Amino acid sequence: MSPARASSAIFPPGPRRPAPLQTLRWMRDTWGFLAECRERYGETFTIRLPGADRWVFLTDPEHVKQVFTGDPKVFHAGEGNSVLLPILGRHSVLLLDEKPHMRQRKLLLPPFHGKRMAGYEDLMRQIARDTIATWPVGQPLRAWPQMQQITLEIIMRAVFGVEGSQLRDLRAALEHVMAEVTGKRTMLTMALLGEGAFRRLPTFRRALEDVDAILLPEIARRRDAADLEERGDILSMLLQATDEDGRPMGDRELRDELMTLLVAGHETTATSLSWALERLVRHPDALRRLQDEVRDGEGDAWMDAVCRETLRLCPVISIVVRELQEPVEIAGHTLPAGTRVAPCIHLVHRRPDIYPDPDAFRPERWLDQTPGTYTWIPFGGGVRRCLGASFALFEMKTILGEIVAAMDLQTTTAPGERMRTRAITRTPGGQAQIVVARRRERESAGAQAVGVAG
Ligand code: HEM
């Protein structure tokens, strides 16, 4: 058999259009493209996107399990995430594999341990309150930029533990980098010239240099801080952390990890919160029930269900990716080394056999169903599962709690907002438009206490 025939035979079926056209469709209409491929080609299909010759999409939980529990030497996530390299840097935990990955992951874990969440609560509440206090009553408001502002402030303060001019400059520099990365020019460059091509764009390079010009001196300054041991912020913890051989992280490693936490840690949560609001204002009963629960301060079962349902129905990241280091048999196909396999979060979450009426927003489904390790996967899985999952869920609950405690939102019968691509996230196309109907008197000193479930 000729190599060409051999390779066309081994991959699951998929669209035949040229790769740049598939990429453009993937970026412009991810959810529509995925639904169409699932319909036409079945549970496992192949798409052509930048970064690898073939991307094999998996939607059967058994295949997802095979990937998440597979040998990390064979299923490399770092290479699968290489699109993030220009921003995060080569030491980022997201871009490493095998031993170097486990070393970084262990160093990063302590600040994200579930038990530490309570320590971030006051910070989260205060920042949320300060921002939502500025929202106008009776006028349309785009929630997404507001959520971005809140979550960026939270992660910056959690990471650095300081306020002041350095944060102001860093905030501006980070927003500039993100605007560059998510701009139309970058997307087009990626589609036509391949993954990572945008790193050569001078505007992107300059924006990144501005971030580094703040981060690197801040790391050096903090290394010399006399009160390092008493400080509770993430940077101070990371500066004191050592690996099995007693080695701490170097400045460049720290820079890349800080950048990872700042970038991975705010846009994802902000977008999930925006989707939650977008859904809630279209589901008056769900919204009212949430308000009642927060006001009564008795548990957070409904809040938990609302957050889980939002992450199921509107996952901000549509796939997780692993690049095969040797041939692997999945779904009856022997896939060669170099193939990217992608457990498809979006389509797994829309399986009618697991989620009856899968396109409907029904938080109540979580009142008697626990999230399955391979069927509810907004945070990925296995040794690569999102390090910030507990932090993100806690943050979502805290901020949503503050919003519904502080105000009544107008509900609407307008159609749901369409999905829009921003780099690797999928956001509400109208930026989650809401209207504050009226402000509420605070019934208790704080909104309810929130539980943490990773
Ligand atoms: C709703 C919000 C969030 C979502 C939906 C999300 C989703 C994800 C996903 C899908 C992955 C890839 C997992 C895999 O490959 O299996 C990931 C990895 C990661 N996330 Fe998140 N994330 C969120 C919030 C956060 C936050 C708040 C932080 C930190 C402050 C964070 C830090 C990370 C890190 C460091 C990794 C890399 C883990 C590794 O490679 O070992 N994320 N996240």
Side-chain angles (χ1 to χ4, degrees), residues 20 31 35 42 71 73 103 133 140 171 191 205 213 275 289 303 321 384 393 400 411 429 439:
W31 294 354
D71 184 348
K73 288 198 188 90
R103 171 183 185 268
R171 184 182 310 116
R205 287 224 312 268
W275 279 119
R289 198 164 166 180
M303 175 69 87
V321 188
R384 308 301 300 226
L393 269 173
L400 266 186
T411 56
R439 295 204 164 267

Side-chain angles (χ1 to χ4, degrees), residues 27 50-51 81-87 181 186-201 204-205 340:
M27 285 178 168
N81 293 333
S82 57
V83 66
L84 298 167
L85 178 78
I87 317 162
V181 173
T186 304
M187 299 245 209
L188 208 61
T189 311
M190 258 176 70
L192 299 175
L193 300 178
E195 185 182 60
F198 61 90
R199 81 182 78 174
R200 292 192 291 277
L201 294 171
F204 170 73
R205 287 224 312 268
R340 288 193 178 176

Side-chain angles (χ1 to χ4, degrees), residues 68 93-94 101 105 112 155 260-261 264-265 268-269 272 311 316-317 320 322 345 378-381 383-388 391-392:
F68 285 170
V93 66
L94 264 159
H101 166 254
R105 195 171 159 99
F112 293 100
I155 191 70
T260 302
L261 298 179
T268 42
T269 317
S272 303
L311 290 164
V316 291
I317 296 180
V320 286
R322 306 286 186 261
I345 301 173
F379 297 107
V383 294
R384 308 301 300 226
R385 187 169 188 271
C386 175
L387 265 173
F391 188 93

Side-chain angles (χ1 to χ4, degrees), residues 108-148:
L108 286 174
L109 266 174
F112 293 100
H113 197 280
K115 285 197 190 121
R116 287 201 63 87
M117 290 310 116
Y120 301 119
E121 185 173 347
D122 289 347
L123 174 75
M124 290 176 178
R125 283 201 192 288
Q126 200 50 54
I127 292 171
R129 277 179 199 177
D130 290 349
T131 306
I132 61 189
T134 66
W135 291 1
V137 176
Q139 288 170 36
L141 173 85
R142 290 175 302 137
W144 182 79
Q146 299 289 320
M147 296 299 113
Q148 286 273 94

Side-chain angles (χ1 to χ4, degrees), residues 77-272:
E79 276 143 43
N81 293 333
S82 57
V83 66
L84 298 167
L85 178 78
I87 317 162
L88 305 184
R90 66 188 170 87
H91 301 289
S92 163
V93 66
L94 264 159
L95 295 161
L96 296 169
D97 281 298
E98 302 186 37
K99 270 200 178 149
H101 166 254
M102 281 322 280
R103 171 183 185 268
Q104 281 322 87
R105 195 171 159 99
K106 278 191 193 145
L107 287 168
L108 286 174
L109 266 174
F112 293 100
H113 197 280
K115 285 197 190 121
R116 287 201 63 87
M117 290 310 116
Y120 301 119
E121 185 173 347
D122 289 347
L123 174 75
M124 290 176 178
R125 283 201 192 288
Q126 200 50 54
I127 292 171
R129 277 179 199 177
D130 290 349
T131 306
I132 61 189
T134 66
W135 291 1
V137 176
Q139 288 170 36
L141 173 85
R142 290 175 302 137
W144 182 79
Q146 299 289 320
M147 296 299 113
Q148 286 273 94
Q149 195 180 317
I150 294 174
T151 58
L152 180 57
E153 196 64 28
I154 288 174
I155 191 70
M156 285 199 315
R157 293 268 297 278
V159 166
F160 295 103
V162 285
E163 295 168 72
S165 63
Q166 303 109 291
L167 279 200
R168 218 174 28 243
D169 296 345
L170 179 61
R171 184 182 310 116
L174 278 171
E175 281 168 353
H176 188 189
V177 168
M178 294 309 285
E180 281 297 325
V181 173
T182 53
K184 284 213 171 74
R185 184 178 34 196
T186 304
M187 299 245 209
L188 208 61
T189 311
M190 258 176 70
L192 299 175
L193 300 178
E195 185 182 60
F198 61 90
R199 81 182 78 174
R200 292 192 291 277
L201 294 171
T203 46
F204 170 73
R205 287 224 312 268
R206 275 197 299 274
L208 203 59
E209 279 162 17
D210 288 346
V211 172
D212 287 357
I214 301 169
L215 280 186
L216 290 165
E218 185 57 35
I219 293 170
R221 230 186 338 265
R222 190 63 65 83
R223 249 189 221 293
D224 296 334
D227 61 346
L228 198 59
E229 283 173 33
E230 288 99 70
R231 300 181 65 108
D233 57 81
I234 295 175
L235 172 55
S236 300
M237 278 187 255
L238 296 183
L239 276 164
Q240 296 170 78
T242 51
D243 65 12
E244 288 162 4
D245 305 324
R247 272 184 310 141
M249 275 190 251
D251 283 2
R252 207 61 222 180
E253 279 175 296
L254 270 163
R255 178 265 171 218
D256 291 356
E257 298 311 357
L258 293 186
M259 198 62 184
T260 302
L261 298 179
L262 292 169
V263 172
H266 90 278
E267 176 134 353
T268 42
T269 317
T271 304
S272 303

Side-chain angles (χ1 to χ4, degrees), residues 53-66:
D53 198 28
R54 299 283 199 290
W55 296 58
V56 173
F57 278 57
L58 308 170
T59 66
D60 179 335
E62 273 307 309
H63 303 148
V64 173
K65 180 177 181 185
Q66 187 184 345

Side-chain angles (χ1 to χ4, degrees), residues 138 171 178 224 290 324 330 357 365:
R171 184 182 310 116
M178 294 309 285
D224 296 334
L290 191 65
L324 299 183
I330 299 184
D357 198 5
R365 66 174 93 238

